[in-house]
Amino acid sequence: MSGSADIMQYLPLLIPVIVLELALMIFALIDLIKRPNTRGPKWVWAVIIIFFNLFGPIAYFLFGRGEE
């Protein structure tokens, strides 16, 4: 029972992190779909964005976006 009490204690701190993570992932996926050129295959960047939660979208914005 104390496990759920611990989660409830930290929930106010986790919610903003989860929302930021989801927003960053969605924004990166939308940008990936709309961008005509990327550095590398788009499907690889989609996998990176989705499976490497916070670091995937950041890596995409830093390294994956092609020049327009």
Side-chain angles (χ1 to χ4, degrees):
M1 189 73 177
S2 69
S4 64
D6 290 338
I7 292 173
M8 295 304 287
Q9 177 184 357
Y10 294 112
L11 194 59
L13 299 174
L14 290 176
I15 289 176
V17 173
I18 293 169
V19 169
L20 176 67
E21 182 180 326
L22 287 174
L24 192 59
M25 184 188 326
I26 290 168
F27 185 65
L29 288 172
I30 290 171
D31 185 76
L32 178 67
I33 291 167
K34 290 183 177 181
R35 188 163 298 275
N37 299 324
T38 59
R39 294 184 188 137
K42 285 189 174 191
W43 70 270
V44 172
W45 280 113
V47 169
I48 291 171
I49 290 168
I50 293 170
F51 289 112
F52 294 98
N53 297 331
L54 188 59
F55 298 109
I58 293 171
Y60 167 71
F61 285 124
L62 291 177
F63 306 113
R65 297 172 75 182
E67 298 175 12
E68 290 189 40

